Amino acid sequence: MSTDLPSFFYNAEVKTWDVIIIGGGIIGLSLAIALRKRGATVLVVERGEPGREASHAAGGMLVDCGLETLSVLQPLATASARMYPEFAQELQFESGMHVDLRDHGTIVFPPPEHVHERPGFTLANLLPVPLAELEPALAEPNRPAFYLKERSVDPRALSTAAWKAAKRHGVDFSSGDEVTEIAVVDGRATGVTTAKTAFQAAKIVNCTGAWSGQIGPHPFPTRPVKGQMLCLLMPQRALLKHVIRTPDVYLIPRSDGRLLVGATVEEAGFDKRTDLATIQRFHRAAVDLVPELRNGKILEDWAGLRPGTPDALPILGATPTHGYYVATGHFRDGILLAPITAEVMAAVIDGHAPEYDLTPFSPERFD
Ligand SMILES: Cc1cc2nc3c(=O)[nH]c(=O)nc-3n(C[C@H](O)[C@H](O)[C@H](O)COP(=O)(O)OP(=O)(O)OC[C@H]3O[C@@H](n4cnc5c(N)ncnc54)[C@H](O)[C@@H]3O)c2cc1C
């Protein structure tokens, strides 16, 4: 376009949005849908293809139990777990996909110190029936175990469903385009610059997970925390029903007969390679727990990068730059926390008070 056109004419041709979301992981996608429902026009700018990073690598346990959740995060974790059936149902309806939300609960083999130090907890979570009846395929059915009424979901299906649902709601996408900079004029965010072009909006949200600290002007202290994972095909589709957690490994069955075995928690920078010794260790641990898995097939292994923060809490809210927001740092709980993050962040961006106190998650707590 010629630059000697009158400026009003030039601006009239530039498409703008109410909100630009950087990053199309489960957090960015869920937020895009929530903002569209409030009437905002939304563009998601994604470096690769939506839903292919941490949200693709995750196990999908929806863990909101007090023993494993930081107390300051508990209200959001509980609220999000409660929102899940409706969240999943809506995404399924809007995408025509099945996200495999399962409600069989979790069997936890706790570390010995928990059995001794927290007998009340164990008592409150007694197995509904003996372990041998709950999961006949488990070896050692007499070890101490407790039961959690917890759900799981397939994060890959969930992310693809959220992408489809967002498109159906009229969210625009720019995929394969990396944001390099936030445009700031007079202290106010006005858009984003990408490797290929630039986009304008009055409000920008950084949802780039482990990469959130790489875009200025605020160096959010997120870091990648690598998780390796193994996926098996069970010899019988319903060999295991429950999620199983031990101090060393967890097993997450899917309804189609896949079984996820995970995961490492490693400080390895932006390295997403798996190593054979770790994958073999997972396989041995799975077979030790469920001997029949010896007859299962190894389907694939992978690694993903969780968005970690110094205090292991998410970073949620407005930044000191007017119109620039952040929703990142969900670490090990981003699949669980997607529905509540979308709700509270959509409220904040829309200029309303969120239903929950977000002070502990303020981006300014690291200043
Ligand atoms: C092995 C493993 C197991 C896990 N298990 C669970 C679990 O059981 N339960 C649970 O709740 N959570 C789990 N998690 C955590 C969960 O996966 C994450 O917290 C969640 O996916 C974070 O979502 P996100 O959208 O913030 O990040 P991501 O899914 O990583 O998305 C960020 C997106 O931003 C894009 N991006 C980055 N930089 C730019 C840029 N400059 N411009 C444009 N786009 C950019 C990326 O390409 C990516 O698509 C697990 C994670 C791993 C790795």
Side-chain angles (χ1 to χ4, degrees), residues 228-230 274-283 301:
Q228 298 187 46
M229 190 87 92
L230 167 67
T274 55
D275 64 83
L276 189 61
T278 302
I279 298 305
Q280 285 176 338
R281 175 168 65 79
F282 282 163
H283 191 236
D301 57 66

Side-chain angles (χ1 to χ4, degrees), residues 7 10 19 39 65 74 103 114 117 121 157 200 219 228 236 288 290:
S7 65
Y10 180 80
V19 185
C65 111
Q74 192 66 59
D103 201 7
H114 284 164
E117 285 166 16
F121 182 84
Q200 293 182 4
Q228 298 187 46
Q236 298 106 47
D288 285 349
V290 183

Side-chain angles (χ1 to χ4, degrees), residues 22-28 45-62 177-180 207-211 214-215 225-229 250 252 263-264 302-307 327-337:
I22 315 168
I26 194 62
I27 298 299
V45 185
E46 163 57 50
R47 186 182 56 179
E49 187 178 293
R52 302 294 295 189
E53 289 290 351
S55 306
H56 191 71
M61 295 175 291
L62 304 178
D177 200 4
E178 177 163 0
V179 170
T180 52
C207 296
T208 58
W211 295 268
Q214 294 182 351
I215 306 169
V225 181
K226 176 173 168 178
Q228 298 187 46
M229 190 87 92
Y250 56 69
I252 309 172
T264 58
W302 63 82
L305 303 174
R306 306 174 183 91
T328 189
H330 293 78
F331 192 36
R332 304 188 75 174
D333 297 311
I335 303 298
L336 167 72
L337 294 172

Side-chain angles (χ1 to χ4, degrees), residues 114-326:
H114 284 164
V115 179
H116 297 119
E117 285 166 16
R118 312 189 61 153
F121 182 84
T122 314
L123 278 178
N125 295 278
L126 288 176
L127 300 174
V129 296
L131 197 54
E133 262 176 62
L134 265 187
E135 281 297 0
L138 276 174
E140 292 188 58
N142 296 321
R143 23 194 311 206
F146 56 85
Y147 174 81
L148 299 175
K149 236 183 129 11
E150 190 179 272
R151 296 188 176 92
S152 69
V153 70
D154 179 346
R156 292 186 178 183
L158 186 80
S159 301
T160 307
W163 183 17
K164 286 190 175 177
K167 285 197 277 195
R168 197 165 161 188
H169 275 286
V171 172
D172 290 324
F173 281 86
S174 168
S175 301
D177 200 4
E178 177 163 0
V179 170
T180 52
E181 219 181 316
I182 308 294
V184 180
V185 177
D186 296 334
R188 175 181 277 272
T190 58
V192 298
T193 306
T194 72
K196 295 180 188 162
T197 182
F199 298 108
Q200 293 182 4
K203 294 177 180 178
I204 317 291
V205 198
N206 183 333
C207 296
T208 58
W211 295 268
S212 302
Q214 294 182 351
I215 306 169
H218 306 294
F220 306 117
T222 46
R223 68 176 198 288
V225 181
K226 176 173 168 178
Q228 298 187 46
M229 190 87 92
L230 167 67
C231 180
L232 306 174
L233 185 65
M234 296 188 276
Q236 298 106 47
R237 199 154 58 92
L239 178 68
L240 278 185
K241 261 170 63 182
H242 302 79
V243 169
I244 313 284
R245 279 205 292 280
T246 79
D248 306 320
V249 80
Y250 56 69
L251 309 181
I252 309 172
R254 302 264 191 261
S255 303
D256 62 5
R258 282 176 298 150
L259 180 76
L260 270 65
V261 189
T264 58
V265 182
E266 300 170 65
E267 302 288 342
F270 287 94
D271 172 15
K272 288 198 296 184
R273 287 170 301 180
T274 55
D275 64 83
L276 189 61
T278 302
I279 298 305
Q280 285 176 338
R281 175 168 65 79
F282 282 163
H283 191 236
R284 272 195 308 275
V287 171
D288 285 349
L289 277 167
V290 183
E292 278 189 60
L293 287 175
R294 199 171 283 122
N295 304 317
K297 273 199 199 119
I298 295 182
L299 291 182
E300 60 173 319
D301 57 66
W302 63 82
L305 303 174
R306 306 174 183 91
T309 60
D311 54 8
L313 293 174
I315 309 176
L316 303 174
T319 76
T321 301
H322 197 83
Y324 183 39
Y325 303 82
V326 61

